[in-house]
Amino acid sequence: MSTDTTTPDATERTRALLTTAEPRRRRTDRIMTVLIWGAFVLAMVPLVSLLWTVLFNGAGRISIEFLTYSMRGIFGGDPSGGIYHAVAGTLIITGWATVISVPVGLLVAIYLVEYGRGPLARSVTFFVDVMTGIPSIVAGLFAVSLFTIFFGPGARFGLMGAVALSVLMIPVVVRSCEEMLKLVPNELREASYALGVPKWLTIVRVVLRTSVAGLTTGVLLAVARVIGETAPLLVAVGVTDSINFDAFDGRMMTLPVFIYRQYSQGLATCRDGQADCVADIALQNAWGAALTLIAIVMLLNVVGRLVNRWFAPKLR
Amino acid sequence: MTTTDSPPAVPAPAPARPRRRRSTGDTERGFSRTFRWITTGAGALILATLAAVALFLVARAFPAVTASPTELADAVPRYPDDTSFIAYVGPLVFGTLLAAVLALLLATPVAMGIALFISHYAPRRLAQVLGYLVDLLAAIPSVVYGLWGIAVLAPAAAPVWGWLNDYLGWFPLFAGEASPTARTLATVAVVLAVMILPIITAVSREVFLQTPRLHEEAALALGATRWEMVRTAVLPFGRSGVISAAMLGLGRALGETMAVLMILSPGFLYSFKVFQAAQHQTIAAYIALDFPEASGLAVNALIATGLALFVITLAVNMAARAVVARRKDFSGAN
Amino acid sequence: MVGALALSLAACGQNPGADAAADGASASAGDLSGELSGGGASSQESAMEAWRAGFQGQYPDVTVNYDPVGSGGGRENFISGAFPFAGSDAALDDDELADAEAQCGEGGVIEYPAYISPVAVAFNLEGIDSLNMTPETIAGIFKGDITTWDDAAIADDNPDADLPSTDITVVHRSDDSGTTENFQEYLSTVVPDVWTYEPEGIWPVDGQESAQGTSGVVSAAQAGEGTITYADASQIADLGTVAVGVGEEFVEYSPEAAAAVIEGSPRVEGTSEHVFAYDLARDIEGTYPIVLVSYHLACATYEDAEQAELVKGFLGYVLSEEGQKAAADSAGSAPLPTALAEEFAGAVDAITAG
């Protein structure tokens, strides 16, 4: 009603609302408050259970060695080795995917909100939606097909994975950034134009700055969306147990793939009396890696929030 | 910058703005024009990428779609004898939709509840922490959801599903024979709901927070209770955002691979029995399950199912946009 | 036996433009370096880890990678030349062998069993660790004809066991797998009257529980009371196991009893010199008849000298006594009988560049 209080009809409705029996309104209000609190509590149950499971199972495995060694030469129930190679691979591949996706995605969002009219804009909007529906494994297959045209059938390297992830990430960046840009009130843009600021500068200095908090959330969500992808990376980047920092040459390990491989490996064979053999070491590695991955994302979130705090204008 | 650089300060109707600029050519000078071309180029790049993906999908799916049922039954494992391609994809489409829709039905109300809680109900300080926590949960990789689904949720859900099956078995969804391991569509739907919850929540929350203060205060000033304020000011304003958020979540639920793959005990039927094992399969999990061992025409058939998923998303998005379009007026930029 | 079961062929692939492996290192005899990336059957993954670790331990400048993409993926990539070597749970069929020879050169395919592992029939029943079952009973249970644990067919062979009346829940592999194919191959060879399905990598019975991968079926079996499944014997944890009827006696699984199967099995004839494929004999007294035999595929010649040296060195290590022992220790597999290992090593030694 607040949006159309000027029409007589709405005034009528407002009056009706206010004159209805007080207890019923207050009861509705209380019920809804309980429901909203309830939704929150309900949602916390699985989420807390999940975090607790990861923490409980993974914390025991975390150590300096686990974080700074690769799995090269480690096999069976050997409890040494670590996930350094997978952490490096995840950061590098996700980093490249972000470098590709964020500029493209943000520019597309700007185009759609600030410039987009006509058939091109309509088809971009439409096809961005379609892109959100690309199954992740298809993105991986696409990247493999694309790169094998140029590099031969055995090509597997980090950038292929980054391209596969970008196909998944760009639409998420576009969709969430578009929503955020739309929320910037037109009055701000018009005020800027009125002061003689050119349109591109208005977009960069007014629109983007006003929405920077939302944009950061959007980008972080998009990163979160792809940092845990397994299937496309398995197809496009392969696996290795050694450290590789070069995204343009050679296989890389990533945390999700590492988790999945360790889980699939199941139990190790330990003979009686064999020292240094932990039968369920692979599962422990998987949980430890899951905890690390979550911690990395948490760290990214903190950084993102600090960025927000420095750049966001104080609005409310 | 001179004043001639700026567009007219009059709040001209938006659609007219660019056209007028293009026709005069005077109002958009220097970098503004370059900037417009850069953003347009990015838009075109999206189309090119998607065209490449679509070309790849169609080209690789084509042999399977045009092959005769006999050839397909020969080459593709699990291909039912003497049936058309539609009959092969049908149950997969059904399973995918059922899982995603159930997940969305479970998640959306709860997600809106959390978003409202964080934006309008929780104490300010607590709200920040909670928002942070929810963002974090969006980042848990699907493999981990899979591990959790197997290790924690399925054992916990088995007695609950059994109970519902015993006492509410007359309801079509709850009928059939409850699986003792609970690796069924019901469990998958709950896991998917938990997975998409943070996504829907995060976007909805941002949108709710952007509700103009004036609208909210006007509602309260008129004597509205908090819920009435939310219902009349916040929800209408956030509606298109919430629908977008739900579509993002639906996209993820439709395409989710690993968690479904790890949890579901698959089958290929048109069945609503969500507690019974070996009834459903989703397209994405099916591709991941059979791709490693597929060769030749079987790969084409798998990619053709991927194409089907594509088409589903297309249809869903068209429907969603139709809904959003009816409520355009609340967007700030329009 | 039908299908591509125990026949095998090998193909070999060069790696023309694919330079994932070329780190600019040059190969010289005796001092290997560089990167070798193959892939294929995931059943070999545990053993492969041990082999890679052992080989990399000998040659610190070498990195060997193995993508566990599955047998089909392994064969396909080998034939296309993407993988210089591959692992596969089934031998190449005639068409695949022809394609592989196009890649490796006439008669240039090397294929031999490198990994043999017993497949256990495992169940989850409180308080029972072992049960005797005849092949007919096993087939009846997995087909769904025998539905409770106290069925007479089971009770007759286990007079001492206190069998509950719990329903039997069969858990099978949901993915296309060599283990499923081998298990069905066994059933249809031994009890063709009961197991009337054609053996393939996909489970033929509808409406049963299933899970992906060995670890998936094991955890599903552990999650429900009265479940039964089949899985690589090294992975079955604390599940009870079935002693399988062979002739008059019941044999518990063991690597030795599994390896004995291949010794008693005839080599498939009519293939080229370096293709060692076997028709498994499932009825030799004292052997454990349900075995998974997984092959290695390579080419006899490679264009790239470095790659030839790496493949030769690595596969040679796998077949060495040390390599076989490493796999037995870490993956619970059955070491190859020495005579066979030496025969295969002869083929691997012949790998050249050119």
Side-chain angles (χ1 to χ4, degrees), chain C:
Chain C
M1 307 183 185
V2 199
L5 311 189
L7 311 182
S8 59
L9 312 179
C12 46
Q14 289 120 319
N15 213 353
D19 281 355
D23 272 332
S26 64
S28 63
D31 184 23
L32 295 175
S33 64
E35 188 175 293
L36 175 67
S37 296
S42 52
S43 56
Q44 294 185 22
E45 199 186 359
S46 299
M48 196 54 86
E49 286 200 337
W51 290 328
R52 283 163 44 219
F55 188 64
Q56 290 173 171
Q58 286 181 3
Y59 301 100
D61 292 337
V62 174
T63 297
V64 181
N65 296 315
Y66 184 81
D67 291 351
V69 293
S71 298
R75 291 197 298 271
E76 196 158 284
N77 280 301
F78 178 67
I79 289 167
S80 74
F83 289 164
F85 78 97
S88 168
D89 290 342
L92 295 170
D93 62 27
D94 291 346
D95 291 346
E96 287 171 327
L97 185 59
D99 292 345
E101 291 202 332
Q103 174 72 27
C104 288
E106 190 73 24
V109 177
I110 301 176
E111 176 178 59
Y112 55 86
Y115 175 83
I116 302 172
S117 179
V119 173
V121 178
F123 56 85
N124 183 12
L125 274 184
E126 180 103 41
I128 302 180
D129 292 333
S130 180
L131 285 174
N132 295 331
M133 287 187 195
T134 61
E136 289 79 11
T137 311
I138 295 175
I141 289 174
F142 279 94
K143 204 181 174 184
D145 292 345
I146 299 173
T147 55
T148 56
W149 282 102
D150 56 359
D151 190 283
I154 304 174
D156 288 351
D157 289 328
N158 300 282
D160 302 335
D162 180 20
L163 291 164
S165 61
T166 319
D167 284 345
I168 297 178
T169 304
V170 173
V171 180
H172 62 83
R173 290 280 292 266
S174 59
D175 46 339
D176 190 339
S177 89
T179 312
T180 302
E181 190 169 321
N182 273 273
F183 182 58
Q184 286 198 68
E185 174 75 6
Y186 160 75
L187 291 175
S188 75
T189 308
V190 179
V191 283
D193 302 343
V194 188
W195 198 260
T196 49
Y197 306 99
E198 189 161 309
E200 53 177 4
I202 288 181
W203 190 251
V205 187
D206 286 334
Q208 294 173 335
E209 300 249 348
S210 61
Q212 189 220 8
T214 301
S215 50
V217 288
V218 170
S219 70
Q222 285 171 327
E225 175 78 5
T227 51
I228 187 165
T229 189
Y230 56 92
D232 194 312
S234 61
Q235 299 283 313
I236 52 169
D238 52 354
L239 293 172
T241 55
V242 169
V244 179
V246 186
E248 293 302 307
E249 53 176 350
F250 292 96
V251 185
E252 279 281 359
Y253 79 86
S254 72
E256 295 72 27
V261 171
I262 198 125
E263 269 179 311
S265 301
R267 179 175 165 189
V268 174
E269 292 176 10
T271 55
S272 66
E273 186 191 357
H274 297 318
V275 174
F276 298 90
Y278 289 88
D279 266 328
L280 296 182
R282 308 284 192 176
D283 49 3
I284 310 169
E285 293 268 340
T287 62
Y288 183 80
I290 316 178
V291 290
L292 173 68
V293 173
S294 194
Y295 291 85
H296 277 177
L297 314 175
C299 282
T301 52
Y302 291 91
E303 272 172 20
D304 181 324
E306 175 187 300
Q307 197 157 62
E309 288 301 318
L310 284 171
V311 172
K312 184 173 165 179
F314 179 62
L315 296 186
Y317 170 78
V318 167
L319 289 169
S320 71
E321 203 176 320
E322 193 188 342
Q324 287 294 310
K325 185 172 178 309
D329 284 352
S330 78
S333 67
L336 285 170
T338 321
L340 287 178
E342 279 168 9
E343 204 179 342
F344 304 155
V348 168
D349 272 343
I351 293 177
T352 55

Side-chain angles (χ1 to χ4, degrees), chain B residues 142-161:
Chain B
S142 51
V143 183
V144 177
Y145 278 104
L147 284 177
W148 174 77
I150 292 173
V152 180
L153 183 65
V160 180
W161 299 160

Side-chain angles (χ1 to χ4, degrees), chain A residues 95-143:
Chain A
W96 274 106
T98 311
V99 166
I100 299 169
S101 307
V102 169
V104 175
L106 191 56
L107 285 172
V108 173
I110 292 173
Y111 168 73
L112 289 176
V113 176
E114 305 293 335
Y115 296 100
R117 305 286 179 264
L120 179 64
R122 270 202 302 278
S123 43
V124 169
T125 316
F126 183 72
F127 286 115
V128 162
D129 286 350
V130 175
M131 265 180 103
T132 60
I134 298 179
S136 56
I137 188 154
V138 169
L141 297 178
F142 165 72

Side-chain angles (χ1 to χ4, degrees), chain A residues 72 240-241 251 260-261 267, chain C residues 45 52 62 65 67 212:
Chain A
R72 188 179 163 94
T240 180
D241 52 15
R251 283 136 209 274
Y260 180 61
R261 291 316 313 166
L267 298 173
Chain C
E45 199 186 359
R52 283 163 44 219
V62 174
N65 296 315
D67 291 351
Q212 189 220 8

Side-chain angles (χ1 to χ4, degrees), chain A residues 67-106:
Chain A
L67 295 177
T68 53
Y69 278 79
S70 75
M71 289 298 278
R72 188 179 163 94
I74 309 293
F75 63 96
D78 189 344
S80 52
I83 55 169
Y84 184 69
H85 58 312
V87 173
T90 287
L91 291 180
I92 291 168
I93 291 177
T94 314
W96 274 106
T98 311
V99 166
I100 299 169
S101 307
V102 169
V104 175
L106 191 56

